[in-house]
């Protein structure tokens, strides 16, 4: 689900994040290659505070400056995963069992690339959705992007 550049950034940042008591949910590199935006989504048990986000912005920025992942300028954004939290690892999918999610596959599966449904099971290799009464099993390696479909109740 991550590009090779995103994976290399995750590999570099993840040990420090764990040492600081937070989890890197995912990393996205978007925009022009000459001045991309690097988005780092972090979380911690009980959620992250504004102060934790500010601290993470600082240490992640310092680490990225040392790594120098892109020649020239880049923009760093550090935030919480939000209501439509990304799903990247089997653990993320397991924690989201019972929630609605939207998934985009890298290639068409049964003539479709986009799926929406409730996550019913998640193993170490695949996730199962109830999509409009039909059971859909997708291997993680086939998923390009996945997010919980957050709901707000009033």
């Amino acid at each position: 689900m991550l590009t090779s550049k995103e994976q290399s950034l995750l590999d570099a940042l993840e040990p420090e994040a764990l040492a600081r008591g937070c989890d890197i949910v995912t990393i996205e590199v978007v925009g022009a290659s000459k001045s991309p935006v690097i988005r780092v989504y972090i979380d911690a048990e009980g959620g992250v505070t504004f102060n934790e986000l500010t601290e993470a912005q600082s240490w992640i920025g310092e680490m990225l400056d040392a790594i120098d992942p892109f020649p020239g300028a880049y923009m760093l954004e550090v935030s919480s995963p939000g209501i439509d939290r990304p799903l990247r690892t089997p653990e993320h999918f397991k924690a989201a069992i019972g929630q609605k999610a939207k998934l985009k596959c890298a290639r068409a599966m049964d003539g479709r690339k986009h799926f929406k449904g409730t996550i019913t099971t998640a193993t170490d290799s695949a996730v199962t959705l109830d999509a409009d009464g039909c059971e859909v099993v997708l291997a993680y390696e086939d998923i390009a992007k996945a997010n919980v479909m957050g709901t707000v109740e009033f």
Side-chain angles (χ1 to χ4, degrees):
M1 288 200 270
L2 297 177
T3 66
S4 61
K5 178 61 87 173
E6 292 165 342
Q7 186 64 53
S8 70
L9 293 173
L10 176 67
D11 292 343
L13 297 173
E14 200 162 42
E16 183 67 19
L18 293 173
R20 291 175 178 267
C22 68
D23 174 44
I24 297 179
V25 176
T26 197
I27 294 178
E28 296 176 345
V29 177
V30 296
S33 60
K34 290 189 179 190
S35 59
V37 175
I38 301 173
R39 293 187 183 131
V40 181
Y41 297 94
I42 65 168
D43 204 0
E45 193 168 324
V48 290
T49 65
F50 181 75
N51 286 341
E52 290 168 321
L53 288 171
T54 302
E55 289 173 18
Q57 178 86 21
S58 178
W59 67 261
I60 291 171
E62 289 173 8
M63 288 187 72
L64 290 180
D65 285 346
I67 297 168
D68 197 20
F70 297 97
Y74 63 87
M75 175 84 86
L76 173 62
E77 295 178 0
V78 178
S79 72
S80 68
I83 193 168
D84 291 330
R85 95 179 276 119
L87 302 170
R88 180 180 54 83
T89 67
E91 291 74 24
H92 292 165
F93 284 92
K94 289 174 186 177
I97 290 174
Q99 297 182 50
K100 291 188 178 192
K102 58 183 175 181
L103 289 78
K104 179 182 177 185
C105 292
R107 60 184 174 83
M109 310 294 288
D110 296 326
R112 301 171 54 182
K113 280 189 167 186
H114 298 271
F115 297 88
K116 289 182 182 179
T118 302
I119 298 174
T120 57
T121 60
T123 66
D124 288 337
S125 59
V127 62
T128 303
L129 295 176
D130 177 353
D132 298 323
C134 295
E135 183 178 88
V136 178
V137 179
L138 299 170
Y140 298 126
E141 62 199 32
D142 294 326
I143 300 171
K145 187 172 184 173
N147 294 79
V148 169
M149 295 173 58
T151 57
V152 178
E153 295 183 20
F154 295 97

